[in-house]
Amino acid sequence: MFMGLLTSMCTLAQPGGRYGYGRHHRPAPPRPSYTASHYSSPTYSRPVDYYFGLRLGLNVSSVNSDDRYLDGGTAKAGLNIGMVAGVQLAPATPVYLESGLYYSEKGGKGTFDGKTFTYQLNYLEVPLLMKYRIDIDRNTSVQPFAGLYASVGVGGKMKDFNNRKAYSAFDDDAFQRLDAGLRLGCGLQFAPVYIELGYDIGLANISHDYFDTAHTGAFFATVGVNF
């Protein structure tokens, strides 16, 4: 009798017995050992993105003026080269502020009294742009931008090809050194390579004459790298 009772107790204690867990039972997970880090609120700080870049490109520019002597409405090609720096305005937004320093060649071609002139205006230029980054994939983004630029003339020539003479482009009878305007365009970045197209709309009157106006305008294309 004693042996029968012992056998029955062992059977009930085995898995799958009347009071056992059975094969479909999923035991409760172990209780975690809580430390101070479990109770403190985590703080997530995403760093603000920034970059530096080098640029090299081409300007196709013109000078439109009421003064026939200064009007260079036919486009002229020139170089632009510079460096830029950009910073993200906030970690959660794809908006960037970019500035830099460029050497930029602008100008135009025109005729006066049957004489052909070219105007070469060389500037140091500082842009201030707002860029919006649209990510296509991990390495590629489209970046439309808009902003302002300010320039100071550092050299340039007005060339009279009929008389084979050249004059300073920034004297009292020609153009003022200071220029400023709007810059619009769009860039494409693939990994470190960056390409952009845009247009400069000159708003400042660079003519010395109070009664006439002269404004620059330039299409530009640049290629560069961002670090």
Side-chain angles (χ1 to χ4, degrees), residues 8-195:
S8 300
M9 292 176 65
C10 291
T11 303
L12 292 174
Q14 289 176 358
R18 183 176 179 185
Y19 298 108
Y21 292 121
R23 60 177 180 173
H24 297 296
H25 174 75
R26 295 180 182 176
R31 296 180 63 186
S33 84
Y34 290 100
T35 62
S37 63
H38 287 84
Y39 295 100
S40 60
S41 299
T43 340
Y44 299 101
S45 64
R46 181 189 296 176
V48 171
D49 191 20
Y50 64 90
Y51 60 88
F52 301 94
L54 300 175
R55 303 286 186 265
L56 176 64
L58 177 72
N59 293 333
V60 179
S61 60
S62 60
V63 179
N64 298 298
S65 178
D66 299 333
D67 186 342
R68 292 194 304 117
Y69 176 65
L70 300 179
D71 186 49
T74 303
K76 183 180 183 300
L79 175 72
N80 72 67
I81 183 171
M83 60 185 71
V84 301
V87 62
Q88 191 178 15
L89 293 185
T93 178
V95 179
Y96 289 73
L97 180 67
E98 180 182 289
S99 187
L101 180 65
Y102 285 81
Y103 169 77
S104 183
E105 296 177 350
K106 297 183 178 180
K109 299 178 183 179
T111 57
F112 178 73
D113 289 342
K115 300 176 181 178
T116 301
F117 284 83
T118 63
Y119 309 102
Q120 182 173 342
L121 311 176
N122 302 331
Y123 292 101
L124 285 180
E125 199 163 77
V126 176
L128 186 62
L129 306 175
M130 296 288 288
K131 290 191 167 185
Y132 188 88
R133 191 186 70 196
I134 304 168
D135 290 329
I136 297 175
D137 57 36
R138 184 176 179 181
N139 295 316
T140 309
S141 63
V142 177
Q143 301 176 12
F145 59 84
L148 306 171
Y149 72 89
S151 307
V152 58
V154 293
K157 294 290 183 182
M158 300 174 59
K159 296 180 181 179
D160 178 354
F161 283 87
N162 292 64
N163 296 321
R164 302 182 64 83
K165 292 182 180 181
Y167 311 90
S168 171
F170 296 112
D171 63 19
D172 292 338
D173 295 322
F175 302 103
Q176 299 192 56
R177 290 185 181 273
L178 298 180
D179 190 17
L182 299 177
R183 176 166 294 181
L184 306 171
C186 188
L188 173 66
Q189 183 165 348
F190 178 74
V193 178
Y194 180 80
I195 302 170

